[in-house]
Amino acid sequence: MVHLVGSLRKELADSLSTCSVLVVGAGGIGCELLKNLVLTGFKNIEVVGAVCLCASVSFMLTHSFILMSFGAIGIFLLQVAKESALQFCPSANITAYHDSIMNPDYNVEYFRKFILVMNALDNRAARNHVNRMCLAADIPLIESGTAGYLGQVTVIKKGMTECYECQPKPTQKTFPGCTIRNTPSEPIHCIVWAKYLFNQLFGEEDADQEVSPDTADPELAWNPEDTAARATASEKDGDIKRISTKEWARSTGYDPVKLFNKLFKDDIMYLLTMDKLWKKRKAPTPLDWQHLENTCPQEDSPVSGLKDQQVLGLWGYCQLFQHSVETLRSQIQEKGESAELVWDKDDPPAMDFVTAAANLRMHIFSMNMKSRFDVKSMAGNIIPAIATTNAVIAGLIVLEGLKILSGEIESCRSIFLNKCPNLRKKLLVPCILDPPSANCYVCASKPEVTVKLNVHKTVVLTLQDRILKERFGMVAPDVQIEDGKGTILISSEEGETEANNNKFLSDFGIRNGSRLQVDDFLQDYTLLVNVLHTEELERDVEFEVVGEAPDKAPPPQSKPEEVNSITNGNKDSSQPSTSSKVFLLIKPKKWVLNYKRKRYCVCLIYVFKNRKIKPPASFVKEVKIYPKLRM
């Protein structure tokens, strides 16, 4: 007779009370997960998270954290989550670290302390890092994620399943600098410009985030010096020169009116002199503070609806711009002359500034203005969190964890939570775990990649920061050239190879076919990089990873009226999935090629007179599915 402790077998219950588990992240999923773990019987839990609860009540209402209370405003979220979880089980031993999991203190030996690691993260860099640490430590990892009403949970075990990086993820969308600075055509262009503007005025200046008109725009057909001369007439209000935006702003004392006229009048008039840009598109309309102050109607009457979802009038955004600049000016003055502010979507003055600046630019370029809620969603890359989604996913994580601790890892599944029931009327769809990819540059026996770049234009710092750290997720890479001499190109020891940073790769004899041995001691990870020299990269593209194109998928083969866009019962464009092929049987007497836009899923559905018949091989279409869920 099986001896039960609660709903668990005694052996499993005893295991839960003695084993140590690691939870990474303490956001929407993490808080729910912590509660579930202590209620299930886990007693030794360590939590690492760098989330801080902001002072905004709306933030808490949006995320609906079950462990949060209004008394927690301004306190570290992680500590509050720990204390709240202990109320459910005072005997639990919970150790919480308010820190980044990418801190070198959390090395491979640290991960080996645990029998299981559970991710509750919200960014790809941290997910990549934990994935590699668990592979190095040979510890099972339960990965999870949510996107609105959608969610998924999957188990990663070295040598048995795909790792998190086996399937390439869609790259973060970027926009050409000339579009942002000269010819925005969508609200997101204006929002990105406003975020750049915040950094140029109040934060850390970045040459790649310039907001002034771009005279190097390829659409321009004349000499930029002539353009600048014609624009001299608009160089008013403080003798504005094309110098550092922050330097000029400081010289004016961050005067809101002068900033307004410079950004929304003078710079726009400068753009208008580039008449080549406006041959086939509507020209922008400059704004003048004094003119608007005298002519715009005062917006005294309150607008119905939630404040964050209201779209103000033109003068309303002018006033919001003025108020936010004054507030940010006070903040930076309190910190000192050389202080810098960091943009945070949950910081009201910073969000007000971006909302106002973006909407003013939208108006100038004849776009419909957006509410603060919409701007925040786009500026912060936010997919609204749903409390019930987080709760379901947190529960599934624990269930998969129980399978692992019971020694039944082969019965673990990737489970997808859909927005709508599938053809079997199920919201939860389990899929068998896929085996490791032979071409994975992380979990393969000998990880190797080929990078296409121009060795005469790519500097060592770009290789280190943009390619190895940003693209391949390394933390502290060491790079050695396989040239027979063992030349050290990059060292993780501070100051050892800094002199190489601004030198071109070709200066070190790197050419087409060169090989670089890259090691990251912290991740216990080695990668061989093959260099493919080219001079034919697109404009604003620094490099390409050869053989990786997640954004490309075959076009649909069926006629438009035959296309059924249901993938596992879900019509949402952010359908998360990782299975490689799916066959479903339904009643309609016809073939349906199920094509879910691009880079998602192609599955074959076949039935003949309600009888299950094996599809002919000629009809089988196998297409890799790349997850849309932002992990």
Side-chain angles (χ1 to χ4, degrees):
M1 181 176 178
V2 179
H3 186 191
L4 297 178
V5 177
S7 59
L8 303 176
R9 288 181 291 104
K10 185 178 185 305
E11 297 83 356
L12 179 57
D14 291 342
S15 176
L16 299 188
S17 64
T18 57
C19 71
S20 294
V21 296
L22 173 64
V23 175
V24 187
I29 298 175
C31 288
E32 289 280 358
L33 177 58
L34 199 55
K35 175 208 63 172
N36 289 349
L37 289 174
V38 295
L39 290 176
T40 305
F42 287 86
K43 294 294 179 68
N44 301 299
I45 306 168
E46 291 195 23
V47 188
V48 180
V51 182
C52 179
L53 190 63
C54 74
S56 169
V57 174
S58 63
F59 175 84
M60 289 170 41
L61 292 176
T62 300
H63 289 76
S64 303
F65 295 137
I66 192 168
L67 296 180
M68 297 299 103
S69 64
F70 285 100
I73 296 177
I75 304 175
F76 281 136
L77 177 62
L78 191 57
Q79 187 62 29
V80 178
K82 170 187 172 179
E83 293 173 359
S84 300
L86 287 174
Q87 294 178 16
F88 293 105
C89 182
S91 62
N93 177 27
I94 302 176
T95 305
Y97 301 101
H98 183 267
D99 202 355
S100 169
I101 192 62
M102 299 176 75
N103 187 313
D105 292 339
Y106 308 110
N107 53 25
V108 175
E109 291 304 316
Y110 173 79
F111 275 78
R112 288 196 177 115
K113 295 192 309 181
F114 306 101
I115 195 169
L116 178 63
V117 177
M118 289 164 275
N119 265 357
L121 290 163
D122 63 356
N123 68 90
R124 190 180 299 171
R127 280 184 164 98
N128 288 345
H129 181 70
V130 174
N131 174 60
R132 296 178 190 189
M133 301 303 284
C134 288
L135 290 173
D138 198 8
I139 301 297
L141 168 65
I142 302 180
E143 176 58 68
S144 66
T146 60
Y149 293 99
L150 306 175
Q152 72 178 61
V153 173
T154 191
V155 173
I156 296 170
K157 182 67 172 74
K158 183 178 181 179
M160 292 182 60
T161 72
E162 280 189 339
C163 77
Y164 176 70
E165 298 171 82
C166 271
Q167 296 294 345
K169 309 296 188 294
T171 55
Q172 196 77 20
K173 188 173 183 179
T174 57
F175 306 98
C178 55
T179 299
I180 298 298
R181 295 167 64 180
N182 289 2
T183 55
S185 57
E186 301 175 25
I188 187 62
H189 298 155
C190 300
I191 293 168
V192 171
W193 178 88
K195 287 179 65 177
Y196 287 177
L197 178 61
F198 177 91
N199 287 333
Q200 297 291 1
L201 291 176
F202 307 106
E204 182 180 358
E205 290 184 277
D206 186 339
D208 293 330
Q209 296 184 357
E210 182 56 64
V211 294
S212 298
D214 182 10
T215 56
D217 193 314
E219 287 192 55
L220 300 179
W222 52 69
N223 189 328
E225 293 180 1
D226 295 338
T227 305
R230 286 196 303 237
T232 303
S234 68
E235 300 291 312
K236 302 175 183 178
D237 196 10
D239 191 24
I240 301 170
K241 298 178 181 178
R242 302 296 155 183
I243 58 175
S244 163
T245 304
K246 181 179 290 186
E247 183 181 341
W248 179 83
R250 283 177 174 169
S251 70
T252 67
Y254 286 104
D255 184 294
V257 176
K258 289 186 177 182
L259 283 175
F260 182 96
N261 283 331
K262 190 267 184 189
L263 296 166
F264 305 116
K265 184 184 75 172
D266 297 328
D267 280 357
I268 303 304
M269 292 176 67
Y270 186 85
L271 278 175
L272 289 172
T273 64
M274 306 177 188
D275 52 335
K276 178 76 172 179
L277 297 176
W278 319 115
K279 296 288 187 183
K280 297 181 180 180
R281 57 170 66 92
K282 187 174 181 179
T285 305
L287 300 176
D288 179 83
W289 181 274
Q290 285 74 21
H291 177 73
L292 293 172
E293 190 174 25
N294 295 329
T295 60
C296 280
Q298 300 301 312
E299 300 170 5
D300 296 327
S301 57
V303 184
S304 61
L306 297 174
K307 184 177 179 181
D308 269 15
Q309 297 186 15
Q310 297 172 2
V311 178
L312 306 179
L314 180 58
W315 181 242
Y317 284 120
C318 293
Q319 291 178 308
L320 184 63
F321 179 84
Q322 180 183 32
H323 177 71
S324 61
V325 169
E326 291 171 348
T327 305
L328 294 169
R329 177 180 61 190
S330 299
Q331 289 182 359
I332 205 167
Q333 287 174 349
E334 288 175 6
K335 292 189 173 185
E337 185 177 346
S338 59
E340 294 176 346
L341 302 180
V342 178
W343 189 83
D344 185 344
K345 67 182 184 300
D346 298 313
D347 177 37
M351 195 62 241
D352 286 344
F353 176 85
V354 168
T355 300
N359 274 297
L360 290 169
R361 192 163 173 88
M362 288 180 215
H363 179 84
I364 287 170
F365 286 90
S366 304
M367 300 177 216
N368 293 328
M369 295 188 288
K370 298 290 182 181
S371 69
R372 190 178 191 274
F373 179 84
D374 290 335
V375 173
K376 183 176 181 179
S377 297
M378 288 187 273
N381 297 317
I382 298 171
I383 298 176
I386 308 298
T388 49
T389 306
N390 291 334
V392 170
I393 293 302
L396 292 172
I397 293 173
V398 174
L399 290 176
E400 294 303 301
L402 293 177
K403 293 179 187 177
I404 294 172
L405 296 177
S406 299
E408 302 173 358
I409 193 169
E410 66 281 353
S411 66
C412 290
R413 296 289 183 266
S414 289
I415 306 172
F416 303 102
L417 172 62
N418 290 328
K419 187 175 181 179
C420 303
N422 67 359
L423 296 168
R424 293 184 177 181
K425 299 182 180 180
K426 302 291 185 181
L427 282 174
L428 295 175
V429 181
C431 297
I432 295 175
L433 297 170
D434 289 321
S437 169
N439 298 321
C440 179
Y441 64 79
V442 174
C443 67
S445 57
K446 294 182 179 180
E448 184 173 344
V449 293
T450 299
V451 178
K452 184 189 295 186
L453 49 76
N454 189 326
V455 297
H456 304 298
K457 294 182 179 180
T458 304
V459 297
V460 173
L461 190 62
T462 298
L463 172 66
Q464 174 184 281
D465 292 346
R466 295 276 290 111
I467 300 178
L468 299 179
K469 289 185 177 181
E470 185 177 323
R471 178 60 187 81
F472 293 121
M474 295 187 175
V475 178
D478 293 287
V479 181
Q480 178 178 314
I481 306 173
E482 290 192 353
D483 55 0
K485 305 174 186 177
T487 304
I488 303 298
L489 186 65
I490 298 172
S491 173
S492 58
E493 295 293 330
E494 187 174 353
E496 194 169 303
T497 55
E498 281 186 6
N500 297 343
N501 284 352
N502 296 315
K503 294 181 180 179
F504 296 109
L505 298 184
S506 57
D507 295 338
F508 297 89
I510 297 175
R511 58 184 186 276
N512 188 53
S514 292
R515 292 157 66 92
L516 307 177
Q517 186 77 28
V518 187
D519 296 287
D520 192 320
F521 177 77
L522 176 63
Q523 298 179 335
D524 194 16
Y525 174 52
T526 299
L527 178 67
L528 182 63
V529 178
N530 297 299
V531 177
L532 182 62
H533 170 70
T534 182
E535 297 182 1
E536 300 178 353
L537 291 173
E538 296 180 11
R539 186 173 183 267
D540 294 328
V541 175
E542 296 176 297
F543 66 93
E544 291 179 0
V545 179
V546 177
E548 196 169 78
D551 289 332
K552 296 180 181 179
Q557 302 296 318
S558 57
K559 296 179 181 179
E561 60 270 18
E562 295 177 332
V563 174
N564 185 336
S565 294
I566 301 175
T567 306
N568 288 342
N570 176 29
K571 297 184 179 180
D572 196 297
S573 63
S574 60
Q575 159 67 23
S577 181
T578 56
S579 303
S580 58
K581 56 184 176 180
V582 182
F583 290 99
L584 299 177
L585 295 172
I586 58 175
K587 291 184 178 181
K589 182 185 172 183
K590 64 179 179 179
W591 289 96
V592 181
L593 187 63
N594 179 355
Y595 177 72
K596 183 67 175 173
R597 293 191 183 179
K598 60 180 181 178
R599 73 173 176 275
Y600 301 137
C601 171
V602 174
C603 65
L604 199 58
I605 304 173
Y606 179 71
V607 159
F608 182 72
K609 293 182 179 178
N610 298 332
R611 295 171 57 194
K612 297 181 179 180
I613 300 175
K614 184 178 180 180
S618 59
F619 283 90
V620 175
K621 306 290 182 185
E622 239 180 85
V623 176
K624 282 286 182 183
I625 305 169
Y626 297 97
K628 174 68 168 68
L629 184 62
R630 293 179 62 251
M631 304 288 273

